[in-house]
Amino acid sequence: MNKTSWLPKFLRWMFAVFSVFCALGALALLVVLAFDPRLPADTHFGPLQGMIEGVPSTLAMHNSVFVATAMRGAVVLQVDNATGLIEVLKHFGLPLLILNAAFFAVLFDLMRRLFRNVGRGESFTPKTIRLVQIIGFSLLAFSLVSAFAEGLFHDALFAYLTRHALLTVSGASMHLPLPKEFEISSNGFPFGTPLFFTGLLVLALGEVFRQGLVLKRENDLTV
Amino acid sequence: MTIKLNLDRVMLERHVSLTELAERIGITLANLSILKTNKARAIRFTTLDALCRELNCQPGDLIEHVAGEEHAEGDDDA
C-alpha cells in the first residue's frame, strides 16, 4: 500500500514531540527529587490571586503558615508548618508525577511507532498487532498502579492535613477528618476505571487487527 | 488433496516468458510468479480469464486436481 493520508505522519510527529516533553518532564522531576530542595523557614509570599477548583482564591504564606482563602473569605484553609506539607507533596506527589510522566513518555513513543507503521502501509502486520497489544496491557497495568499510587498520595496528604490544617467555613472552624480506609482510586474512579476500560478497548482493537492480518494474508495470496 | 497450476508447462508449450505474460494480462511479475510457483491461495476469475485468453487454452489445461498429496500450509494464520 503506497497511498496513505497525511494524518498518520502528523500523528507520528505529534506523539514524538509529546513523548520527548514527557520524558524531559520526568527527568526534571527526578532531578528535583534527587536534589531534595527544602523550603526556607522564613519563606513568605502573597497574597496571590488565583483559582482553586474554578473558584477565585487567594494564597499566602507567612512564618511557615500557609493560608488559602476562597469565596470572599467565607472558606479559609490554614496549614501550620507548611514546610511539612511541602515535604509530603515532595515525597508522595513528585514520585506520582514522575510515574505519570514516564508512563506517558513510553505510551506516546509506542503510539509514534504505531503510526509510523500505519504511515508505511504496514497496518496489518504482526509487529503492529504486538504494538497495539503492548499499549493495551500497559494501559491496564498503569491504571491499577497509578490508582494505587494516588491512593497512597491522598492518604499521606490527608493524614498530614488532619494534624496540621484548620478549615473555617463561615466562621465555624473544624479539623479535616481522617479518611476511613485506604482507597485505590484515580480522580475518584475506583481502580483507575477510565484508563482500565481504555486498555480493554485497545486490546479488543488488537483482536480486530489480528483478524485484519488474516484477511490481508488471504488477499495477498489471491491473484 | 491439492490443486496444482500447470502454468509453467503451458507457458513453455506456448513459448511465452513470465515477463511477457505478466505484461499481457496486466498483473505484476511478483503475482504471476506466485501463481507459477503454486503459492497462491486463490485465483480470481478475471485473472483465469486473462490467462486462458493469452495462452489460448482452457481452465482445465491450467488447473489440475492432484489427489493424495497433502496441502502444504505456507504462512500460519494469526
Side-chain angles (χ1 to χ4, degrees):
Chain A
M1 187 195 285
N2 290 322
K3 287 186 185 170
T4 52
S5 76
W6 57 271
L7 194 57
K9 208 185 260 187
F10 170 73
L11 288 170
R12 180 186 153 193
W13 284 108
M14 188 182 81
F15 285 123
V17 168
F18 286 171
S19 176
V20 166
F21 274 132
C22 287
L24 288 175
L27 200 65
L29 290 169
L30 262 172
V31 167
V32 168
L33 200 61
F35 273 102
D36 195 18
R38 286 176 190 272
L39 201 67
D42 59 349
T43 302
H44 63 274
F45 63 82
L48 299 171
Q49 306 292 329
M51 298 286 266
I52 297 175
E53 300 291 331
V55 176
S57 314
T58 58
L59 304 168
M61 184 158 156
H62 190 66
N63 285 340
S64 205
V65 176
F66 174 80
V67 179
T69 317
M71 313 263 194
R72 294 197 193 100
V75 177
V76 179
L77 177 71
Q78 184 174 302
V79 181
D80 59 52
N81 193 11
T83 47
L85 177 64
I86 300 297
E87 291 302 302
V88 168
L89 290 173
K90 232 187 335 169
H91 293 124
F92 289 89
L94 271 185
L96 182 63
L97 282 175
I98 293 168
L99 178 73
N100 276 273
F103 171 76
F104 280 104
V106 169
L107 181 71
F108 289 140
D109 187 60
L110 289 171
M111 303 283 289
R112 177 193 65 82
R113 283 156 61 183
L114 179 66
F115 281 101
R116 181 193 58 188
N117 287 357
V118 170
R120 287 175 183 170
E122 295 168 8
S123 304
F124 299 104
T125 61
K127 225 190 272 185
T128 302
I129 291 167
R130 237 186 324 272
L131 267 175
V132 172
Q133 286 176 334
I134 290 170
I135 290 170
F137 282 120
S138 302
L139 283 167
L140 285 181
F142 179 73
S143 71
L144 296 172
V145 169
S146 78
F148 183 74
E150 274 187 53
L152 279 176
F153 171 67
H154 287 131
D155 209 49
L157 182 66
F158 278 99
Y160 186 85
L161 289 177
T162 301
R163 292 194 308 272
H164 296 277
L166 190 69
L167 182 68
T168 307
V169 180
S170 299
S173 297
M174 65 195 94
H175 285 280
L176 292 170
L178 260 174
K180 285 189 187 136
E181 57 198 4
F182 179 73
E183 247 182 41
I184 300 176
S185 74
S186 179
N187 290 325
F189 289 100
F191 299 102
T193 316
L195 270 181
F196 188 81
F197 280 109
T198 307
L200 289 179
L201 180 67
V202 170
L203 285 176
L205 274 174
E207 285 308 302
V208 171
F209 272 76
R210 188 197 290 273
Q211 289 187 19
L213 176 62
V214 171
L215 291 172
K216 182 183 178 293
R217 279 179 170 161
E218 194 77 32
N219 186 55
D220 282 349
L221 295 174
T222 298
V223 181
Chain B
M1 180 277 283
T2 193
I3 299 288
K4 260 183 75 178
L5 265 182
N6 295 315
L7 186 60
D8 48 352
R9 180 169 55 80
V10 177
M11 279 169 60
L12 195 65
E13 285 169 6
R14 307 288 190 274
H15 305 292
V16 176
S17 72
L18 205 67
T19 316
E20 191 186 337
L21 184 62
E23 219 175 282
R24 278 205 246 165
I25 65 174
I27 66 171
T28 63
L29 203 59
N31 280 344
L32 193 58
S33 182
I34 286 171
L35 275 179
K36 187 168 170 282
T37 55
N38 278 294
K39 287 198 172 95
R41 285 197 176 200
I43 185 167
R44 295 189 179 95
F45 282 143
T46 50
T47 306
L48 188 58
D49 173 55
L51 281 170
C52 291
R53 188 184 64 238
E54 295 302 326
L55 295 173
N56 192 27
C57 65
Q58 289 295 311
D61 299 328
L62 289 170
I63 302 172
E64 183 189 349
H65 172 254
V66 181
E69 280 185 34
E70 286 297 319
H71 176 61
E73 286 293 336
D75 296 348
D76 291 328
D77 286 341

